[in-house]
Amino acid sequence: MRSWRVTTPGPIGTGPLRLSSVPVPEPAPDELLVRVLVCGVCRTDLHVTEGDLPVHRPAMTPGHEVVGEVVAKGATASGFALGDRVGVAWLRHTCGECKFCLRGAENLCPQSRYTGWDADGGYAEYTVVPAAYAHHLPAGYTDDELAPLLCAGLIGYRALQRAEVPEGGRLGLYGFGGSAHLAAQVALARGATVHVLTRGRAAQELALELGAASAGPADASPPEPLDAAILFAPAGGLVPVALAALDRGGTLAIAGIHLTDVPELNYQRHLFQERQVRSVTANTRADAREFLDFAGRHHLEVTTRPYALADADQALADLAAGRFTGAAVLRA
């Protein structure tokens, strides 16, 4: 099969990815073999490829927003039949026994493992996934539309939980890519007022089309104080900007797995009056079930930019340069 591999992590323009011919993987007893139909392109893939997140093993195949078809099963794999459409997401293993797993916070498990970081992902024609970590997908979406839900959608949903947006609250979104444009729709469906702060006129226009009350530059002030904010852009310099925009008691959730350094904060301006900062670390399987159920009941408008699998390196380069709105997807 064809499979992209991270050979020498570095800037995307230096060619850190190589398209290779490798054997189709064999599923372990508890795994599904999945023929990849579409794989979403996530900023985390870019971080792994460029070395911001060091690869956990050599020649890693990125990709963790996989929509595919079950074509083979291990002897103990259950919950899916051959021919089923299936989703493969970032989280692929937890121990089930540590204090975090036992209290429902499996995303904090010290033994957690991830698709496209610890095990080969979906920038390929086939991949494997433990059946217990695979996802049933909602009806009413194309494969292209489903792929971004499996990370961009999930992490946006988790970030909304962490931000604790009050009922009818005012939410600011900093950055408006694949994840934010889905989180905005969930927040709007729950009755929030959404203000988007992002670079790029096209992203601002998309935000307004989806129902945002305002859209302006990332370093601007929103038109009213915010009850909550989510930082999707991997720019630490926006942390004090977002904190300064919060009303008393507001919460800033930082949704990225990687962030550039945060500048010095001023306690009175940025943190006093019980403002708080929270990070977001992956999602749990419970989060995934809740979000995908929500997506089945409230149809989300998923903006995608399709690329052929052979053009994965170009898709990542375009993502790095901000050349498209919404989410890129690779068609195998």
Side-chain angles (χ1 to χ4, degrees), residues 75-100:
T76 63
S78 62
F80 295 87
L82 296 181
D84 279 355
R85 187 166 64 165
V86 64
V88 181
W90 179 237
L91 185 68
R92 68 179 295 111
H93 171 83
T94 56
C95 73
E97 300 175 348
C98 69
K99 64 182 179 181
F100 302 106

Side-chain angles (χ1 to χ4, degrees), residues 8 11 36 40 66 83 90 95 119 163 207 218 220 250 281 310 324:
T8 305
V36 177
V66 178
W90 179 237
C95 73
T281 302
F324 56 81

Side-chain angles (χ1 to χ4, degrees), residues 157-240:
Y157 185 78
R158 179 76 181 181
L160 281 169
Q161 292 176 303
R162 297 285 288 162
E164 294 186 341
V165 186
E167 184 175 353
R170 301 155 298 175
L171 172 67
L173 302 180
Y174 288 80
F176 203 71
S179 189
H181 93 286
L182 297 172
Q185 295 176 67
V186 177
L188 288 165
R190 291 175 168 177
T193 298
V194 176
H195 298 287
V196 170
L197 301 110
T198 187
R199 67 179 186 179
R201 187 61 194 163
Q204 293 169 12
E205 290 174 355
L206 175 60
L208 294 173
E209 289 172 8
L210 292 174
S214 72
D219 57 355
S221 296
E224 60 182 336
L226 304 173
D227 297 305
I230 302 174
L231 177 57
F232 287 102
L238 291 177
V239 170

Side-chain angles (χ1 to χ4, degrees), residues 47 274 289 295 297 309:
H47 292 319
E274 300 193 355
R289 288 189 293 269
R297 291 181 287 108
L309 176 61

Side-chain angles (χ1 to χ4, degrees), residues 41-104:
V41 177
C42 178
R43 188 165 291 275
T44 299
D45 303 333
L46 183 64
H47 292 319
V48 170
T49 300
E50 296 196 317
D52 297 323
L53 296 175
V55 291
H56 284 179
R57 64 180 181 80
M60 178 62 62
T61 297
H64 55 275
E65 297 178 339
V66 178
V67 175
E69 177 188 0
V70 178
V71 294
K73 299 169 55 178
T76 63
S78 62
F80 295 87
L82 296 181
D84 279 355
R85 187 166 64 165
V86 64
V88 181
W90 179 237
L91 185 68
R92 68 179 295 111
H93 171 83
T94 56
C95 73
E97 300 175 348
C98 69
K99 64 182 179 181
F100 302 106
C101 288
L102 294 177
R103 74 184 192 203

Side-chain angles (χ1 to χ4, degrees), residues 100-127:
F100 302 106
C101 288
L102 294 177
R103 74 184 192 203
E106 66 178 2
N107 59 321
L108 302 180
C109 175
Q111 299 183 49
S112 56
R113 295 198 292 271
Y114 302 95
T115 306
W117 199 18
D118 296 289
D120 287 336
Y123 285 26
E125 293 178 306
Y126 293 87
T127 191

